[in-house]
Amino acid sequence: MIIIFFGAPGVGKGTQAALLAERMGYGHLSTGEALRTAIAAQTDIGKIAKQVVDAGGLVSDDIVTKIVEETLMLPKFQAGTILDGYPRTIGQATALEEILRATGKKVAVVINITVDQETLVQRLLLRGRKDDNEETIRARFAVYEKETAPLLDFYAKMPNLIHTLDGNAEVETVYTRVKAAVESI
Ligand code: AP5
Ligand code: MG
């Protein structure tokens, strides 16, 4: 089962994906976390990705898709797979379809979390990750609107895949909405 967490920077993809993974025993892949780990370890991918991530741009489809392809083969990901922050472009969504077709798997649900933008900016500034400064946050939102939001049209062509839920509530309240979406599959 493939579960995609979707939404703008700060909506709670990572928070909810981690809870669901822990409670259901599924594998959780955040491409953002994978890239931050690579940057910290100064791997070849990390060296390429650093400037892009720091500026709030998108790392190339090829790099992130390779990370996804390798991770999906891990044993932990066989019971269930949670993708957090991938796909983010039409190219990535198309690549994911190809990877899944080869393994006989399908996207089961796209959990689209929505929160108003000013609340998101406040959340991110409070968190204070390296890319959580005002300028980079604005860049990430712009990239989300231009490159990522159009994926909702891509997945809307597949019947009943998108579950949109309000992420502006307590973490556990949002989790009950996430769980309901997963149980409705
Ligand atoms: P990524 O790490 O995916 O960042 P993002 O999409 O900007 O999202 P965030 O991780 O900031 O937010 P989130 O939705 O996970 O929210 P969270 O739960 O953390 O990507 C970072 C960068 O990596 C990208 O800019 C890009 O450069 C690169 N990258 C990653 N994937 C890529 C891809 N596929 N292709 C190309 N490049 C890629 O919550 C945010 C904060 O709010 C936290 O402090 C949290 O505690 C708090 N919070 C969560 N829920 C609630 C709640 N209900 N109420 C109040 N506070 C809450
Ligand atoms: Mg995240």
Side-chain angles (χ1 to χ4, degrees):
M1 177 166 47
I2 313 287
I3 298 166
I4 294 175
F5 276 91
F6 194 86
V11 291
K13 301 182 294 293
T15 302
Q16 295 299 326
L19 284 179
L20 187 68
E22 187 192 319
R23 294 175 186 180
M24 305 297 281
Y26 296 160
H28 169 201
L29 172 60
S30 158
T31 43
E33 286 297 335
L35 291 167
R36 283 185 288 278
T37 302
I39 291 168
Q42 300 185 351
T43 64
D44 290 347
I45 285 181
K47 285 177 195 157
I48 298 169
K50 187 179 184 322
Q51 272 194 328
V52 181
V53 172
D54 284 351
L58 288 181
V59 175
S60 79
D61 288 354
D62 286 353
I63 286 180
V64 285
T65 297
K66 190 158 178 284
I67 293 172
V68 171
E69 200 166 13
E70 287 171 2
T71 306
L72 291 196
M73 292 191 310
L74 300 174
K76 196 180 169 197
F77 283 77
Q78 302 319 308
T81 294
I82 300 172
L83 294 177
D84 154 15
Y86 181 96
R88 252 173 151 99
T89 65
I90 297 288
Q92 291 176 22
T94 310
L96 177 63
E97 287 302 304
E98 274 167 32
I99 293 170
L100 296 182
R101 202 173 304 124
T103 53
K105 292 177 183 160
K106 270 188 176 170
V107 175
V109 63
V110 175
I111 300 177
N112 176 37
I113 307 179
T114 61
V115 174
D116 66 277
Q117 192 162 312
E118 278 320 303
T119 303
L120 295 179
V121 174
Q122 293 316 314
R123 275 189 193 179
L124 294 173
L125 288 175
L126 201 68
R127 180 178 61 184
R129 209 168 67 193
K130 195 172 180 220
D131 57 343
D132 288 339
N133 57 76
E134 196 110 21
E135 188 187 351
T136 310
I137 290 169
R138 297 286 167 201
R140 285 156 61 198
F141 280 124
V143 168
Y144 173 78
E145 287 304 330
K146 184 163 181 277
E147 304 285 344
T148 308
L151 283 183
L152 287 172
D153 290 336
F154 179 93
Y155 285 115
K157 292 187 186 114
M158 305 177 193
N160 302 320
L161 214 56
I162 301 173
H163 287 250
T164 298
L165 57 88
D166 181 1
N168 196 9
E170 298 275 327
V171 168
E172 286 296 338
T173 306
V174 178
Y175 183 75
T176 59
R177 296 170 187 164
V178 166
K179 197 150 181 287
V182 172
E183 283 168 355
S184 74
I185 298 170

